[in-house]
Amino acid sequence: MYNSKIIGLGHYVPDNVVTNDDLSRKMDTNDAWIQERTGIKERRHVVPGDGDTTTTMGVKAAKIAIERAGIDKDDIDFIVFATLSPDYYFPGPGVLVQRDLGIKTVGALDVRNQCSGFVYAISIADQYIKTGMYKNVLVIGSELHSHGLDMTTRGRGVSVIFGDGAGAAILSREEDNSKGILSTHLHSEGQHAEELSLIAPGMGKRWVTDIIADNDPNDESYFPYMNGQFVFKNAVVRFSEVIIEGLEKNKLKSTDINLLVPHQANLRISQFIQKKFKLTDDQVFNNIMKYGNTTAASIPIALTEAWEEGKVKDGDLVVLAAFGSGFTWGSVIIRW
Ligand code: UT7
């Protein structure tokens, strides 16, 4: 059995910065509310017509990760792509990345799992590398939220939070079992599936034909819905549990953590976790202030920025943790 390790990271965000004040000119919200409740100051939105999609942003992040990994695109054995905002209903973006990067005909897998998507994707890549089946796996998390948000007062609790962007990692075989990804931990609780969801179009409750037939300008079924306070309460519990689970599995303590990179859902959630584990500001990486919640892209964007800022060093214990729609949650314990 091998371990896997991250050998290259990259991220891409669109140039278009949308501040809280920009939003308050378009909808019923204000900078004070957004900052106080979420910590977000600004986010990036793709300008319609600029050509960026979930796939193209993922490709841009992937190119940087591949270059930094010092490998060739033809060394990639498998692609895993996590998103809740794919370019097409089907096929998923994994194959579009294979095409756009001109990678040979390797397998491409699409992962849902929303805010936990990148953690799930890393876990999948890790298993393939552990068994020896693949040596280098490209893992991408990318989201284009801004084209699908309800910018009316009805949707403001959700639409001020989400932002666009992408992050990517190259996972590669590590023969030293004390290094790289030590363990991954995944969970789900589908009982709360609709508490953070986008119901339509779906083949279950709301078919495309229903939407067309109804032609209802007030239809909210195709906008994301979140029961914010309920999600928040579950998030703080599950984040804590899954971090503890990962540490215990490796006989580690929270004092061993050099850097925690939490999914950027809400600065208040990160601060709660920081306090619970008695971590310093330097031990928790947050960039939600600049990008909002970019769902499956948030951890790879944050991890890339942390690495670029020299906050991830050889030998460090790095913990990734996420919670989101599904509900799904998970953690990754890494000896860098
Ligand atoms: O990434 C996946 C996981 N996601 C999370 O973990 C997010 C968890 N939840 C949260 O972060 C918070 O619940 C939110 C930031 C989404 C919302 O904060 P909240 O403190 O739970 O606010 P709320 O939804 O209870 O709304 C409080 C008030 C309401 O007004 P009333 O009824 O008290 O008069 C809302 O209408 O704030 C109002 N409100 C807003 N006001 C200005 C809601 N959204 C906005 C807004 N601007 N954007």
Side-chain angles (χ1 to χ4, degrees), residues 23 27-34 36-40 114-116 152-162 196 226-236 239 263-269 293-295 298 323-325 327:
L23 286 181
M27 59 192 285
D28 182 16
T29 190
N30 59 80
D31 177 54
W33 190 96
I34 300 172
E36 189 191 314
R37 308 277 175 139
T38 70
I40 299 167
Q114 301 68 246
C115 302
S116 319
T152 68
T153 301
R154 183 183 63 193
R156 65 184 175 169
V158 174
S159 50
V160 300
I161 294 173
F162 289 123
L196 175 47
M226 175 161 67
N227 180 348
Q229 292 192 9
F230 185 72
V231 174
F232 192 105
K233 282 179 196 151
N234 279 268
V236 290
F239 261 107
H263 161 54
Q264 303 291 293
N266 185 322
L267 190 59
R268 307 295 160 239
I269 295 176
N293 177 348
T294 57
T295 319
S298 93
F323 173 89
S325 161
F327 292 152

Side-chain angles (χ1 to χ4, degrees), residues 67-125:
E67 196 194 328
R68 286 177 174 167
I71 62 167
D72 188 84
K73 64 182 171 55
D74 290 326
D75 298 325
I76 292 168
D77 302 311
F78 196 63
I79 300 163
V80 191
F81 199 123
T83 189
L84 64 69
S85 50
D87 294 15
Y88 305 142
Y89 196 89
F90 72 85
V95 298
L96 305 180
V97 167
Q98 181 272 332
R99 177 178 71 187
D100 290 0
L101 282 177
I103 296 176
K104 55 188 193 292
T105 56
V106 300
L109 178 71
D110 299 297
V111 170
R112 303 288 302 267
N113 299 86
Q114 301 68 246
C115 302
S116 319
F118 191 76
V119 165
Y120 268 75
I122 288 274
S123 180
I124 292 164

